[in-house]
């Protein structure tokens, strides 16, 4: 066992999980960046959302599984449903005065002010057009609850095989003419496969990480990322939100798992930093706000400085600046939310800081703490 692993265990946490969450969050933001090269987007999309379901399962403890249903549901409600409702309200209040100025304004012609409110109940990406990324909250809520109930009766190994088998069948058979189901019930059929794998791997991650040096981990990560790029080049565009699994669906799970474990090994091979720790602790804020920030940046450029509406597509510079600015802006957003809306972080009113240890419910470790 290497010294870093010993210190992590004594601290009660494995810092590579923070690094995985942080890199995954950056990839989510970059993946939505305007003007991003299609191939890079295909590579990112092939695994970035499966990664977060995997991490959620990875951090699901036996103590949480031992909770009664009511207590577990309460943890999900506080950790996912309340932030979901909060960020929906924020997104809706932003959408009301700005939707007719957006490049996609034609889609909202004649739409009543109350029409987006149905999105709260439907809870999938199609209905959550005020902020499409909110689909992840409802899907994770549904997947977590289903897995919790199933785990009461079946072993982690059985669920690993059964749920991945079900996910593969769904991916191969899914027809886009099928009606979308509310609260991520259709997405969850696939998402819960990654969740179950993360939960099963929980018992092996320590031994796996100890068997490889940092240099070896980086080499494995590089080889796996190269394989992800190869698969993505063949399979093309995928999107778990819209249930689009590429032109060769049989490759979807392969690309997703290659990407997940590439980041696992990459996180082992990288040093733990305060930046990664902060990003990991604040993914619950960055994830639902970065698209709103993109919209604000665009509006300022168009309305205040007179830029053309399609300026974002004109240069790779904007592709870099938008995610960079969104990530930097997430810090004051975090300060504000932690101070005035601490329930979003599962906390009481507290002063914002970068503490050595944090006990709040974290995005990606839901429904409970590590």
């Amino acid at each position: 066992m290497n010294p870093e692993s010993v210190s992590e265990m004594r601290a009660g946490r494995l810092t590579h999980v923070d690094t995985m969450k942080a890199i995954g969050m950056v990839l989510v933001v970059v993946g939505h960046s305007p003007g991003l090269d299609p191939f890079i987007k295909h590579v990112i999309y092939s695994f970035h959302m499966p990664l977060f379901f995997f991490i959620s399962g990875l951090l699901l403890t036996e103590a949480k599984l031992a909770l009664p249903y009511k207590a577990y549901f309460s943890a999900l409600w506080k950790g996912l449903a309340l932030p979901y409702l909060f960020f929906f309200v924020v997104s809706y209040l932003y959408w009301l005065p700005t939707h007719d100025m957006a490049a996609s304004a034609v889609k909202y012609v004649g739409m009543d002010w109350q029409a987006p409110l149905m999105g709260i109940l439907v809870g999938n990406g199609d209905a959550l057009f005020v902020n499409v990324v909110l689909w992840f909250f409802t899907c994770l809520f549904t997947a977590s609850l289903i897995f919790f109930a199933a785990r009461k009766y079946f072993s982690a190994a059985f669920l690993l095989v059964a749920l991945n088998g079900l996910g593969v069948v769904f991916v191969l058979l899914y027809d886009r003419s099928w009606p979308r189901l509310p609260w991520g019930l259709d997405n969850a059929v696939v998402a819960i496969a990654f969740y179950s794998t993360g939960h099963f791997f929980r018992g092996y991650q320590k031994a796996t990480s100890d068997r490889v040096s940092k240099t070896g981990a980086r080499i494995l990560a590089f080889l796996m990322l190269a394989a992800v790029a190869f698969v993505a080049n063949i399979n093309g565009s995928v999107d778990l939100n819209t249930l689009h699994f590429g032109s060769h669906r049989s490759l979807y799970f392969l690309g997703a798992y290659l990407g997940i474990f590439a980041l696992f090994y990459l996180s082992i091979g990288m040093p733990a930093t305060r930046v990664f720790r902060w990003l990991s602790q604040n993914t619950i804020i960055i994830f639902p706000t970065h698209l709103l920030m993109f919209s604000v940046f665009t509006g300022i450029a168009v309305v205040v400085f007179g830029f053309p509406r399609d300026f974002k597509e004109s240069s790779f510079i904007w592709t870099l600046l938008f995610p960079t600015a969104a990530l930097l802006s997430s810090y004051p957003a975090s300060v504000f939310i932690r101070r005035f809306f601490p329930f979003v972080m599962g906390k009481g009113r507290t002063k914002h800081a970068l503490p050595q240890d944090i006990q709040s419910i974290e995005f990606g470790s839901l429904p409970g703490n590590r």
Side-chain angles (χ1 to χ4, degrees), residues 318-362:
W318 298 116
T319 305
L320 295 176
L321 285 178
F322 265 69
T324 301
L327 289 169
L328 292 174
S329 300
S330 65
Y331 183 81
S334 172
V335 172
F336 181 82
I337 289 173
R338 286 176 181 273
R339 181 173 179 83
F340 296 104
F341 303 97
F343 67 87
V344 173
M345 306 299 295
K347 303 176 72 174
R349 185 176 293 273
T350 183
K351 184 178 180 180
H352 176 81
L354 292 177
Q356 293 300 310
D357 190 26
I358 190 165
Q359 298 298 324
S360 64
I361 293 176
E362 297 176 2

Side-chain angles (χ1 to χ4, degrees), residues 5 58 79 82 101 104 136 166 182 228 241 263 278 281 299 304 323 346:
S5 299
L58 183 70
L82 284 181
M101 297 183 288
S104 57
F136 180 75
L166 179 63
V228 173
N241 170 37
L263 256 65
W278 187 88
Q281 293 166 354
V304 178

Side-chain angles (χ1 to χ4, degrees), residues 81-93 130-131 134 137 283-289 292 337 344-345:
L82 284 181
Y84 165 72
L85 294 172
F86 173 81
F87 286 114
F88 180 90
V89 171
V90 171
S91 303
Y92 174 66
L93 293 177
V130 297
N131 193 349
L134 295 178
F137 285 83
T283 48
I284 198 169
I285 295 174
I286 301 169
F287 188 86
T289 61
L292 298 179
I337 289 173
V344 173
M345 306 299 295

Side-chain angles (χ1 to χ4, degrees), residues 81-151:
L82 284 181
Y84 165 72
L85 294 172
F86 173 81
F87 286 114
F88 180 90
V89 171
V90 171
S91 303
Y92 174 66
L93 293 177
Y94 175 78
W95 180 88
L96 279 176
T98 63
H99 67 274
D100 58 350
M101 297 183 288
S104 57
V106 65
K107 295 191 299 185
Y108 307 121
V109 173
M111 182 177 290
D112 294 331
W113 63 269
Q114 68 269 29
L117 298 178
M118 282 300 297
I120 298 179
L121 301 177
V122 178
N124 62 39
D126 293 340
L128 292 167
F129 52 85
V130 297
N131 193 349
V132 67
V133 298
L134 295 178
W135 73 271
F136 180 75
F137 285 83
T138 55
C139 185
L140 181 56
F141 185 100
T142 299
S144 298
L145 196 59
I146 293 173
F147 187 85
F148 175 79
R151 190 66 178 84

Side-chain angles (χ1 to χ4, degrees), residues 4 21 31 53-54 75 86 95 109 115 137 160 162 179 212 226 245 263 290 293 326 329 348 355:
E4 291 89 350
K21 288 172 63 179
F53 289 104
F54 175 88
F86 173 81
W95 180 88
V109 173
F137 285 83
L160 169 75
V212 62
F245 304 112
L263 256 65
H290 72 277
M293 293 176 183
S329 300

Side-chain angles (χ1 to χ4, degrees), residues 69-83 137 140-146 148 195 361 366-368:
Y69 283 97
K70 183 177 180 180
Y72 190 82
F73 184 87
S74 176
L76 282 179
W77 176 261
K78 294 176 182 177
L80 280 174
L82 284 181
F137 285 83
L140 181 56
F141 185 100
T142 299
S144 298
L145 196 59
I146 293 173
F148 175 79
Y195 192 101
I361 293 176
L366 295 166

